[in-house]
Amino acid sequence: EVQLVQSGGDLVQAGGSLRLSCATSGFIFDDYTIGWFRQAPGKEREGVSCISISDGNTYYADSVKGRFTISSDNAKNTVYLQMSSLKPEDTAAYTCAAVAGIVEHSCPGSREYDFVGQGTVVTVSS
């Protein structure tokens, strides 16, 4: 059974940091790209970042570039999203997802992923 179990969402003040985790099981971690996307109330879903596990390539949305860092712990089949210098506009439900293969130019669209986590809420207060 495939599982993507998320943790780390919280309420944080602007300028603060949070780390989201996405612990996966049930598929060959090295063969997948793991990504994060988010959706704020009343807004469209937005791809945030992704990482191809086999080659370590990472991609970021312009809105988070320089503030967010995606990484993987291959021994734990877990992907992390370290978020720093958080802004109120980062407030959203964050979801991790997995898709087979590697990405070459940009992250997959949210509907292209094979498996999806349960989501976790990040709230950034001003």
Side-chain angles (χ1 to χ4, degrees):
E1 178 189 5
V2 172
Q3 288 189 315
L4 286 78
V5 179
Q6 298 180 222
S7 60
D10 207 344
L11 169 64
V12 64
Q13 287 190 330
S17 299
L18 274 179
R19 188 178 79 162
L20 305 183
S21 300
C22 178
T24 75
S25 60
F27 58 89
I28 301 174
F29 190 64
D30 287 359
D31 291 346
Y32 277 71
T33 289
I34 310 296
W36 291 89
F37 54 89
R38 67 186 181 184
Q39 188 163 22
K43 294 189 176 181
E44 292 190 359
R45 195 174 294 172
E46 175 190 22
V48 174
S49 181
C50 62
I51 180 169
S52 290
I53 302 302
S54 62
D55 60 13
N57 282 343
T58 59
Y59 302 89
Y60 297 92
D62 288 342
S63 58
V64 306
K65 205 170 289 183
R67 301 187 297 121
F68 290 13
T69 303
I70 192 169
S71 63
S72 68
D73 183 335
N74 293 12
K76 296 182 179 180
N77 290 356
T78 298
V79 168
Y80 303 98
L81 185 68
Q82 178 68 48
M83 306 184 293
S84 302
S85 302
L86 283 162
K87 305 175 181 179
E89 51 263 44
D90 294 317
T91 295
Y94 285 72
T95 303
C96 69
V99 61
I102 62 173
V103 291
E104 296 184 356
H105 303 293
S106 62
C107 293
S110 60
R111 289 177 171 78
E112 297 178 55
Y113 287 97
D114 298 322
F115 310 113
V116 179
Q118 84 274 20
T120 188
V121 176
V122 172
T123 303
V124 184
S125 63
S126 57

